[in-house]
Amino acid sequence: MSALFPTLVVNGETVPAALVAAEAQNHSGPKGKPGIAWRKAANAVAIRTLLLQEARARGIEARPEEVGPGRWETEEEALVRGLLAEAVAVAPPGDAEVRAEWERDPQRFRAPPLWEVSHILVACDPRDPDARQATHARAVDLARRAHSDPGAFARLARETSECGSGAGGGALGQLSPGDTVPEFEAVLRSLSEGEITADPVLTRHGWHIIRMDAVAPGAVLPYDAVRPKIREAMEKAAWDRMARDFVQTLVASAEISGADLRPAPPGSAAHEDRPC
């Protein structure tokens, strides 16, 4: 693959193609077009190389920190973190700014919702394509039967569900965010009270037909309760913007070949700030 693309050189430093190839595993591209992932990887490695060059030029000392139980930063990760800590300084937003952000739409700040849910499970190992396909037809049929007679959902669950909840008519009781697997929770957020999923939902446990029995939206939280989180989010968003600006100053003064780090045109999706 590396022979198909120009060598990456950053300020006279030739970057081994193996580093770009390793980074390419973290990027996606359309099927049959691996070059797109390679170019994304080259850009990412070019930025990392710039940051490491700047950290070493400033005499930043690598002090790896523990980032998880038994997991420590690499020396390069510590150098980049140390550089950004020195180069990017953000003042916390004032109380007036934080309140203005809250007043812009207080409805955004709510307590977690409560969902009362029932389901029917057709168990399978989703990592096994044959098992997944073999059970899908049965799950589709159960979804059809549930929709044709919604009042019989509990009976259908007792007769067919392969979850222990089937004995109770499929009832899972009240759930809050974080109580179930992400794929299941994502569907709960989209269902209205009394609604049954039109298609089976696949999770690590198998196929689910889900019924939303009741929804209790979280209450809007008062300003004092959410002020610390709003301040933290605003500070993080400001830090992200300043970090991007810092990287762009390095790019603007660098000599780079084998990567394209030109800023995206104003108005393009890549140019827009991401929400915090």
Side-chain angles (χ1 to χ4, degrees):
M1 173 65 70
S2 59
L4 300 176
F5 298 96
T7 300
L8 177 61
V9 182
V10 181
N11 290 328
E13 178 183 342
T14 299
V15 178
L19 289 181
V20 182
E23 176 66 25
Q25 306 303 311
N26 301 321
H27 300 271
S28 61
K31 189 175 182 180
K33 295 185 177 180
I36 292 178
W38 183 275
R39 286 191 288 272
K40 290 179 180 178
N43 289 349
V45 172
I47 289 173
R48 185 164 68 231
T49 303
L50 273 176
L51 290 169
L52 290 171
Q53 289 174 347
E54 181 69 12
R56 289 167 179 142
R58 293 189 183 208
I60 302 292
E61 185 177 349
R63 299 179 182 274
E65 293 184 354
E66 192 171 12
V67 293
R71 292 175 50 242
W72 290 77
E73 291 176 315
T74 65
E75 181 174 311
E76 289 190 349
E77 289 170 339
L79 279 173
V80 170
R81 177 178 50 77
L83 170 65
L84 294 177
E86 177 179 292
V88 181
V90 176
D95 287 340
E97 296 172 276
V98 176
R99 178 172 281 279
E101 176 64 19
W102 177 78
E103 290 178 344
R104 194 162 60 84
D105 184 5
Q107 296 291 325
R108 292 175 295 163
F109 307 104
R110 291 179 170 272
L114 281 176
W115 303 296
E116 194 166 317
V117 181
S118 298
H119 81 139
I120 298 168
L121 173 67
V122 179
C124 75
D125 182 351
R127 297 168 299 181
D128 182 341
D130 293 334
R132 190 171 65 240
Q133 183 176 1
T135 52
H136 182 251
R138 179 165 175 256
V140 168
D141 179 64
L142 286 173
R144 179 190 59 77
R145 292 168 61 186
H147 275 272
S148 66
D149 189 0
F153 189 95
R155 176 175 56 79
L156 187 62
R158 283 192 293 270
E159 294 174 352
T160 64
S161 182
E162 295 172 330
C163 174
S165 65
L172 294 173
Q174 288 188 338
L175 300 176
S176 296
D179 285 347
T180 185
V181 295
E183 309 94 317
F184 198 99
E185 181 176 315
V187 174
L188 297 184
R189 292 183 179 277
S190 69
L191 292 177
S192 303
E193 191 166 308
E195 186 177 359
I196 300 172
T197 50
D199 300 307
V201 177
L202 184 64
T203 75
R204 69 192 67 172
H205 304 296
W207 298 100
H208 306 258
I209 296 90
I210 307 170
R211 183 181 70 185
M212 179 62 69
D213 298 325
V215 181
V220 175
L221 294 170
Y223 170 68
D224 286 341
V226 296
R227 178 174 52 189
K229 287 190 175 182
I230 297 174
R231 188 187 304 276
E232 180 182 351
M234 292 178 69
E235 189 170 350
K236 181 180 183 302
W239 190 94
D240 288 345
R241 288 193 295 271
M242 290 188 67
R244 288 197 298 269
D245 290 344
F246 173 66
V247 169
Q248 284 305 315
T249 63
L250 296 181
V251 170
S253 60
E255 293 185 4
I256 302 172
S257 61
D260 184 2
L261 298 177
R262 291 172 296 182
S268 70
H271 185 270
E272 295 172 0
D273 286 341
R274 297 294 184 263
C276 62

